[in-house]
Amino acid sequence: MRGTARGVVDADELAVLKRLALDGGFKGTHKTSCSDLGETLEVSTQTASRRLQRLEELGLIDRDTVADGQWIAITDDGRQRLHAEYTDYRRLFEQGTRIELAGAVESGMGEGKHYVSRPGYMRQFRDRLGYEPFPGTLNVGLTEASEQRRGGLSSLDAIRIDGFETADRTFGPAVCYPAQLIATDVQYDQAHVIEPERTHHAADSIELIAPDRLRDVLALADGDQLRVVVTDA
Amino acid sequence: MRGTARGVVDADELAVLKRLALDGGFKGTHKTSCSDLGETLEVSTQTASRRLQRLEELGLIDRDTVADGQWIAITDDGRQRLHAEYTDYRRLFEQGTRIELAGAVESGMGEGKHYVSRPGYMRQFRDRLGYEPFPGTLNVGLTEASEQRRGGLSSLDAIRIDGFETADRTFGPAVCYPAQLIATDVQYDQAHVIEPERTHHAADSIELIAPDRLRDVLALADGDQLRVVVTDA
DNA sequence: ATTACTAGTTTACGAGTAA
DNA sequence: TTTACTCGTAAACTAGTAA
């Protein structure tokens, strides 16, 4: 027998419901077809058709099939089911502490690139942050109030980057904090604040790393305002 | 053939990953067993076992099986996959009820004061907004992207302010939306966006009212950047 | 207890096709 | 073009069992 109880939406069907919602059926009605849907979900039109039928049976969507497709509206039950899922994910990602810093983009002194691109660090970034950062840092000069708040970073759980030695010199350990960046009209979720581990001087700026060149993806120039939401690792 | 491509987590597996995360594997490591997991997921222990194996193959979890169960930790890839899901659901539930506009403070033409201070409006502000606004409005010129989003305001629940007539003339109805204002380092929660009810022209700026003179409490001058988070009433 | 293999069964899939 | 049926097949399931 199948595991899920009768009348309960299974994971595949829920994924379809989410897709429909994202594509516009969340508020109001939205036109699609089984072949369209099958393509985005990477299943056959037959499967798409069957899943829509089942979502309708479960009372999660209302349908109006016409000659060239169908109009779909998500019911209150459907919205409720999606909201339950939303709540689960919020529990995962919103429970930690968050510290909001504000400041202006400033030109770094080029050191960032030198350090970040060292293989000894790069390897750890890939393993512990989940990506290889763009070889360079974005420097943000903090406002006075943010300078105060910056001290709170040490209370967050950090991702530790170990120091190492080369023939020439020693590279010290560092710590990273997950950060969400909010520019005027764009938002970016995959960045990290990075700072030397044992330094509490010069707290008037922070350095950011990310898989992308932040100046490009956020369309930033020197002096642009940026809000940085730092969270627990 | 099955629909999903090799190497891609399917909906069932993702549901297991979420379950593991919620049960404690999200930060650090967490002990469970196939029978435990099978029970909460309403599948057999065999299926639970297989799904865990597959999540491990996909690199989404690390496992350490011991005599009486197994220790599970979600990998960075796993967290990333969950975060992608979280982002989807946020788009569904935070977009509709929350519209973020950005712009720069601009000098109004003094009309705001004239209208807002009319007793016929003031009485309603006190009753329906819970305060008597400062007699004047703060005008915010929107960025291009925010002009686009501004249209979404009409999908929010508004507070209606009725029109009325005096001996001289007619004052039309208006609508208000609760708004949170975010200046560089100060935040203000008690403001409202106000606009004439039946006007969809000139969407390049918004007007704000609040119990206080916003230019004072937020230390704003013409041209200063301001973020306006508009929510449902 | 566990995990996970093998075997047999059920379910879900895509192809073909009718309306 | 659509949606949704039937049908043969492949995948995923549960039961039984070994380690």
Side-chain angles (χ1 to χ4, degrees):
Chain A
M1 202 183 72
R2 201 82 207 297
T4 43
R6 179 188 303 284
V8 176
V9 65
D10 76 15
D12 282 328
E13 289 151 2
L14 186 63
V16 179
L17 188 63
K18 190 193 79 172
R19 184 76 265 149
L20 292 170
L22 285 169
D23 289 347
F26 198 52
K27 295 189 173 180
T29 206
H30 155 240
K31 180 132 180 245
T32 187
S33 75
C34 292
S35 42
D36 273 6
L37 199 59
E39 227 169 279
T40 59
L41 294 167
E42 299 184 70
V43 296
S44 66
T45 57
Q46 295 89 333
T47 295
S49 171
R50 233 180 302 105
R51 292 203 182 151
L52 288 175
Q53 288 176 63
R54 183 139 164 100
L55 285 174
E56 189 179 28
E57 279 169 27
L58 292 168
L60 302 177
I61 61 171
D62 286 331
R63 293 199 300 162
D64 183 15
T65 64
V66 291
D68 63 338
Q70 50 194 298
W71 292 91
I72 291 179
I74 293 176
T75 63
D76 287 337
D77 276 0
R79 261 186 289 276
Q80 222 161 48
R81 187 61 194 78
L82 288 169
H83 194 271
E85 206 67 9
Y86 170 56
T87 304
D88 281 346
Y89 282 102
R90 270 181 41 186
R91 270 182 53 203
L92 290 181
F93 290 98
E94 290 179 16
Q95 63 186 356
T97 334
R98 59 187 256 151
I99 292 176
E100 262 193 75
L101 303 174
V105 173
E106 58 184 31
S107 55
M109 285 159 286
E111 313 166 285
K113 174 166 182 162
H114 178 246
Y115 285 104
V116 172
S117 58
R118 304 297 306 191
Y121 285 135
M122 266 296 180
R123 204 176 321 116
Q124 297 183 62
F125 291 144
R126 197 176 47 239
D127 293 340
R128 301 183 188 174
L129 304 185
Y131 62 84
E132 286 214 342
F134 172 85
T137 61
L138 183 75
N139 289 49
V140 178
L142 300 177
T143 62
E144 217 170 310
S146 289
E147 279 188 49
Q148 303 298 322
R149 287 202 290 275
R150 186 223 168 99
L153 288 191
S154 56
S155 73
L156 299 177
D157 293 331
I159 298 160
R160 209 189 121 92
I161 303 293
D162 300 311
F164 59 93
E165 289 187 28
T166 65
D168 303 356
R169 52 159 295 188
T170 300
F171 291 88
V175 290
C176 294
Y177 304 95
Q180 182 186 47
L181 310 182
I182 307 177
T184 310
D185 275 307
V186 205
Q187 202 164 302
Y188 188 90
D189 289 341
Q190 272 200 83
H192 286 84
V193 173
I194 183 166
E195 59 182 13
E197 188 172 59
R198 254 177 291 282
T199 319
H200 291 99
H201 70 285
D204 64 336
S205 73
I206 53 173
E207 291 190 67
L208 295 166
I209 59 175
D212 304 290
R213 185 170 192 267
L214 292 171
R215 282 179 186 265
D216 293 339
V217 292
L218 290 171
L220 294 170
D222 281 353
D224 285 359
Q225 295 297 309
L226 188 66
R227 300 169 61 77
V228 181
V229 181
V230 190
T231 56
D232 262 313
Chain B
M1 202 182 71
R2 202 79 207 300
T4 45
R6 180 189 302 284
V8 176
V9 66
D10 76 15
D12 283 327
E13 289 151 3
L14 187 63
V16 178
L17 188 63
K18 191 195 77 172
R19 185 75 264 150
L20 292 170
L22 286 168
D23 289 347
F26 198 53
K27 297 182 176 185
T29 207
H30 155 240
K31 181 136 179 237
T32 187
S33 76
C34 291
S35 43
D36 273 6
L37 199 58
E39 225 168 282
T40 58
L41 295 167
E42 299 184 67
V43 296
S44 65
T45 57
Q46 294 88 334
T47 295
S49 171
R50 227 179 319 100
R51 292 203 183 152
L52 289 175
Q53 286 177 62
R54 186 141 159 88
L55 285 175
E56 189 178 28
E57 279 169 28
L58 292 168
L60 302 177
I61 61 171
D62 286 331
R63 294 199 298 162
D64 183 16
T65 64
V66 292
D68 63 339
Q70 50 194 297
W71 291 91
I72 291 179
I74 293 176
T75 63
D76 289 333
D77 276 359
R79 260 186 289 275
Q80 227 162 43
R81 188 61 194 78
L82 288 168
H83 194 272
E85 207 66 10
Y86 170 56
T87 303
D88 281 346
Y89 281 103
R90 266 181 34 194
R91 268 181 56 200
L92 291 182
F93 290 99
E94 292 179 15
Q95 189 169 258
T97 48
R98 183 187 149 101
I99 292 175
E100 262 192 76
L101 303 174
V105 173
E106 57 185 26
S107 55
M109 285 157 288
E111 314 165 282
K113 174 166 183 165
H114 178 246
Y115 286 104
V116 172
S117 58
R118 304 298 306 191
Y121 283 135
M122 266 296 182
R123 205 177 319 114
Q124 296 183 64
F125 290 146
R126 197 177 48 239
D127 293 342
R128 301 181 188 177
L129 304 185
Y131 61 84
E132 286 213 342
F134 171 83
T137 61
L138 183 74
N139 288 48
V140 178
L142 300 177
T143 63
E144 216 165 300
S146 290
E147 281 185 43
Q148 303 297 324
R149 286 203 289 275
R150 187 227 167 94
L153 288 191
S154 56
S155 73
L156 300 177
D157 294 329
I159 298 160
R160 208 189 123 91
I161 302 295
D162 300 316
F164 58 95
E165 288 182 29
T166 65
D168 302 357
R169 54 159 292 187
T170 301
F171 291 86
V175 291
C176 294
Y177 303 96
Q180 181 186 47
L181 310 182
I182 306 176
T184 309
D185 274 306
V186 205
Q187 204 164 301
Y188 187 92
D189 294 337
Q190 273 198 81
H192 286 84
V193 173
I194 184 167
E195 59 182 14
E197 188 172 57
R198 254 176 291 281
T199 318
H200 292 100
H201 70 282
D204 63 336
S205 72
I206 53 173
E207 289 189 83
L208 296 165
I209 58 174
D212 303 292
R213 185 169 192 269
L214 291 171
R215 282 179 185 266
D216 292 340
V217 292
L218 290 172
L220 294 170
D222 280 355
D224 284 359
Q225 295 296 311
L226 187 66
R227 299 169 61 77
V228 181
V229 181
V230 189
T231 57
D232 264 313

